[in-house]
Amino acid sequence: MKQLHLFIIKAMKNLVLFAFFLILFSIALTTNIEAKEGIRINADTLLYDDVGSQVEAVGNVQLSWKNVSFATNQLLFRFDTSEAFVPGFIKARFGDYQISAEKMYYNFQTRNGWFESAELVYELNEGGKLFFRGSKIEYQKGKWAGLDLLVTGCPHSPPLYSVRAKEVLIYPQDRILISGLGFYIKENRIIQLPAYSRLLNNHGGNFIPSLGYQRKRGLFVEGNYEYLFSENLLFQANLYYSTRQSSRISGDITLQYSYIEARIFIDLWQNEKSTFGGYAHYQKNGLSLWMLGIENERFNDEIISRLPQFIASYRTESESGFFIEANLSYGKFSQGDINTWRNDIFLSAGLEKKSFGGEIFYQNINLSTLDDAIAWGGKVWAEKEFSSRFSAGIYYEYTQVNGETYFFFDPKDTNIFGLELVYGDLDQTYLRLRGEYDLNIGSVGDIIAGIGLGSKEFSVGMETIYSFPNQSWEERRYYVRKQLEECIDIEASYWESDQTFFVSVNLAGLDQKKHIESLFEKQEEYDLFNLDREN
């Protein structure tokens, strides 16, 4: 009986030992393992240490979790603490940010980590990238931080231009705070600033001021300054000086969270009435709610006040491109001698595809002291690439207004057909033509033509307008574009009719591309259901 008992114990030990080696063998042969919370690791070899509660991955290591991914040759991962150690070179992605480093540590539970000898890359919406390079970059729950970093939009090393910073903080919502900033061309320091902030993918911010001579503005200079008091509180200032138009100093204070933004602002104009106001805006899942007030708002040559105004908008769209949108507005509007409360209902539906689309709309305008109006209509458009060098586009717009309208932004009767042809690359060598036919008057309007010669690094071109009603050439614009080391863009434009000149210098990454007034631009429309301080 005793021998039988010893035999059973021995057999069980052997069975357990066999099972342990079988599990270890199967783990060593497998090419992927999925840890808790969905962390997936793939590698040529995965060795699991049960005692140490860790796995070592060697050879073509790939780790993925939500919007985080790693690619390296060796990785040590602890299951009990969800920590990852990489002793060698690694390429990683955290959402929109890419980072490469010689060594890394990251904790998936606390969402904290560090990267040594690192380069952080952020891809910008308008094209190009912004590079952060330094001996150590830290990550803390969506926020990046580093000391003695080099910041540039130049992919080459050493870069043509760079910002050297004592400290850099990159907050969520694409906001950067740079302390102890020095601006360098090659290795020569040009300017030193104590602190500077930058909003990535923000239309209003530029590091290099605008300087030149432009139509209607004369000789002008315009510069911006942004500073983050905290992660959610931003101060923005803008200085604009012009020899033909009134000069202006602007200030904005913005409090922003994930779905809510509140702002107060003021524009002090020389010899003109000041613009001031504020708003609170909520936006989530297609729903947008505004409560705003603005006095003496300027749009092109028009001035309007809307104080107060309440806006509710909702838009939903399917994966196939079909959308429905509803906008409601109620407020008090003043323009010139007109001062009235107005209620607007705007409904639209349509289809948006990559190469074609269409929309129909209905708008009801109800004024408390003036006649009401109803507008309806739609538009369709289509584009076709016949080859890599040749494309064509057509569009048709129709609007009918019943009743009288009083404000400059109200819809007007429209019935036009347009055609545009492009041969070549608009950034290099190309030929471009656009024309419209007005069906209401039965004649061709203006024909716009453009030609460009050169490459991405250097090109020259001309745009011109021919008026069929006047049977004359009414405008010409000449331009020269130059790109330096893929990170500094320079463009100069000259308008022949009124002998005006404009120059823009853009630092890729730090600057948004400054607006160059092209003859092909369609006139910007005033948005009754929105307030954009960045444009």
Side-chain angles (χ1 to χ4, degrees):
M1 189 69 178
K2 185 177 180 180
Q3 291 180 349
L4 179 61
H5 179 70
L6 292 174
F7 174 78
I8 294 174
I9 293 176
K10 186 176 180 180
M12 291 181 64
K13 286 184 177 179
N14 291 336
L15 183 62
V16 171
L17 188 63
F18 175 77
F20 174 76
F21 281 108
L22 182 63
I23 294 172
L24 184 62
F25 180 72
S26 64
I27 292 176
L29 289 179
T30 188
T31 58
N32 72 81
I33 184 169
E34 187 160 351
K36 62 181 179 180
E37 299 179 1
I39 300 174
R40 177 174 289 275
I41 302 174
N42 298 276
D44 293 339
T45 304
L46 288 165
L47 298 175
Y48 180 68
D49 182 358
D50 184 42
V51 177
S53 186
Q54 63 185 28
V55 63
E56 182 179 1
V58 180
N60 298 316
V61 181
Q62 302 283 338
L63 182 149
S64 60
W65 178 71
K66 296 183 178 180
N67 65 344
V68 178
S69 62
F70 299 159
T72 184
N73 193 55
Q74 184 178 2
L75 178 143
L76 183 66
F77 183 85
R78 294 185 59 87
F79 287 95
D80 54 350
T81 58
S82 295
E83 294 176 293
F85 302 87
V86 177
F89 181 76
I90 179 175
K91 287 186 176 182
R93 175 177 283 274
F94 289 73
D96 293 327
Y97 291 88
Q98 303 176 55
I99 188 166
S100 57
E102 296 299 326
K103 187 183 294 185
M104 183 217 75
Y105 161 79
Y106 185 72
N107 189 311
F108 286 87
Q109 290 184 358
T110 63
R111 295 178 59 206
N112 292 336
W114 48 258
F115 301 80
E116 291 186 355
S117 302
E119 179 184 74
L120 179 67
V121 183
Y122 182 80
E123 297 181 2
L124 300 167
N125 288 345
E126 72 276 9
K129 299 177 180 179
L130 192 57
F131 301 87
F132 303 84
R133 299 167 183 160
S135 59
K136 188 174 184 179
I137 297 178
E138 297 180 351
Y139 181 82
Q140 301 174 356
K141 297 181 179 179
K143 181 176 69 176
W144 297 90
L147 300 176
D148 299 322
L149 294 187
L150 182 151
V151 185
T152 182
C154 302
H156 307 294
S157 185
L160 178 59
Y161 88 85
S162 64
V163 170
R164 316 288 172 88
K166 292 293 183 183
E167 181 179 11
V168 175
L169 293 174
I170 307 175
Y171 293 103
Q173 304 172 8
D174 302 332
R175 297 180 171 195
I176 301 176
L177 175 60
I178 302 175
S179 301
L181 176 150
F183 179 71
Y184 287 74
I185 297 294
K186 292 292 188 181
E187 296 299 323
N188 301 314
R189 189 174 68 183
I190 305 301
I191 191 173
Q192 185 80 30
L193 295 174
Y196 174 79
S197 299
R198 180 72 175 87
L199 269 65
L200 299 177
N201 295 323
N202 173 47
H203 298 291
N206 285 288
F207 188 83
I208 295 296
S210 300
L211 176 66
Y213 188 84
Q214 191 181 22
R215 297 188 302 173
K216 298 183 180 180
R217 302 171 72 179
L219 181 65
F220 74 92
V221 60
E222 183 176 9
N224 302 279
Y225 180 77
E226 300 172 340
Y227 183 76
L228 282 168
F229 289 107
S230 68
E231 179 179 345
N232 304 104
L233 186 61
L234 173 71
F235 170 74
Q236 296 169 284
N238 175 276
L239 173 63
Y240 166 77
Y241 172 79
S242 171
T243 57
R244 289 188 179 180
Q245 292 182 341
S246 295
S247 300
R248 181 197 70 230
I249 298 176
S250 301
D252 293 54
I253 297 179
T254 307
L255 182 65
Q256 187 178 45
Y257 292 92
S258 298
Y259 307 113
I260 300 175
E261 179 177 288
R263 178 185 298 217
I264 57 174
F265 52 85
I266 186 170
D267 301 333
L268 300 176
W269 294 84
Q270 181 186 21
N271 302 323
E272 293 186 27
K273 293 181 180 180
S274 299
T275 300
F276 59 89
Y279 65 78
H281 182 211
Y282 172 85
Q283 186 170 16
K284 184 180 180 181
N285 298 332
L287 176 65
S288 175
L289 302 175
W290 289 86
M291 181 174 63
L292 64 88
I294 180 169
E295 188 77 18
N296 301 321
E297 180 183 8
R298 285 168 170 79
F299 183 83
N300 296 331
D301 296 329
E302 304 288 348
I303 298 178
I304 189 169
S305 298
R306 37 178 174 159
L307 178 67
Q309 185 185 12
F310 304 93
I311 305 169
S313 302
Y314 182 76
R315 179 185 173 98
T316 182
E317 52 187 276
S318 65
E319 295 181 357
S320 61
F322 179 76
F323 69 89
I324 298 176
E325 184 173 351
N327 297 275
L328 306 176
S329 169
Y330 180 73
K332 188 176 183 181
F333 288 73
S334 300
Q335 176 189 324
D337 297 331
I338 303 174
N339 189 346
T340 182
W341 289 84
R342 63 178 286 163
N343 181 28
D344 289 82
I345 300 175
F346 185 92
L347 306 175
S348 64
L351 181 69
E352 291 182 350
K353 292 287 190 179
K354 183 178 180 180
S355 58
F356 66 91
E359 178 183 7
I360 57 174
F361 73 89
Y362 167 87
Q363 183 174 1
N364 183 286
I365 305 171
N366 180 266
L367 307 179
S368 61
T369 59
L370 299 169
D371 296 334
D372 299 339
I374 293 176
W376 61 275
K379 60 182 178 182
V380 292
W381 60 271
E383 296 176 350
K384 174 67 176 179
E385 289 189 3
F386 294 94
S387 69
S388 60
R389 304 286 297 171
F390 179 65
S391 64
I394 60 173
Y395 57 92
Y396 173 72
E397 298 181 8
Y398 178 83
T399 301
Q400 180 173 321
V401 180
N402 299 323
E404 188 173 355
T405 58
Y406 302 90
F407 292 88
F408 71 89
F409 54 80
D410 286 329
K412 307 290 189 300
D413 286 338
T414 305
N415 192 8
I416 59 172
F417 172 81
L419 174 66
E420 182 168 348
L421 305 174
V422 178
Y423 180 81
D425 188 332
L426 293 178
D427 293 325
Q428 302 179 43
T429 299
Y430 73 92
L431 177 64
R432 184 180 186 185
L433 295 171
R434 180 197 292 165
E436 291 184 348
Y437 185 85
D438 193 324
L439 296 171
N440 284 335
I441 61 177
S443 68
V444 177
D446 295 337
I447 298 293
I448 308 174
I451 186 172
L453 299 172
S455 63
K456 185 178 180 180
E457 290 74 26
F458 178 80
S459 63
V460 296
M462 180 191 75
E463 298 172 350
T464 184
I465 297 179
Y466 181 80
S467 173
F468 271 88
N470 298 330
Q471 295 185 354
S472 63
W473 297 96
E474 296 193 340
E475 181 67 279
R476 288 187 179 91
R477 179 179 85 98
Y478 304 90
Y479 68 84
V480 178
R481 298 170 181 165
K482 176 64 178 176
Q483 186 180 78
L484 303 177
E485 294 191 11
E486 300 182 31
C487 57
I488 297 183
D489 295 317
I490 303 173
E491 179 168 348
S493 293
Y494 174 76
W495 286 266
E496 184 180 76
S497 60
D498 48 7
Q499 298 181 343
T500 59
F501 183 69
F502 177 79
V503 176
S504 75
V505 179
N506 299 285
L507 303 181
L510 286 184
D511 282 348
Q512 304 293 315
K513 287 192 175 182
K514 297 180 179 67
H515 177 71
I516 304 297
E517 190 177 358
S518 170
L519 300 183
F520 281 92
E521 288 184 9
K522 292 188 176 182
Q523 186 175 359
E524 183 182 1
E525 295 183 358
Y526 182 84
D527 192 348
L528 172 65
F529 306 102
N530 192 19
L531 176 58
D532 188 359
R533 285 283 294 174
E534 310 303 342
N535 291 324

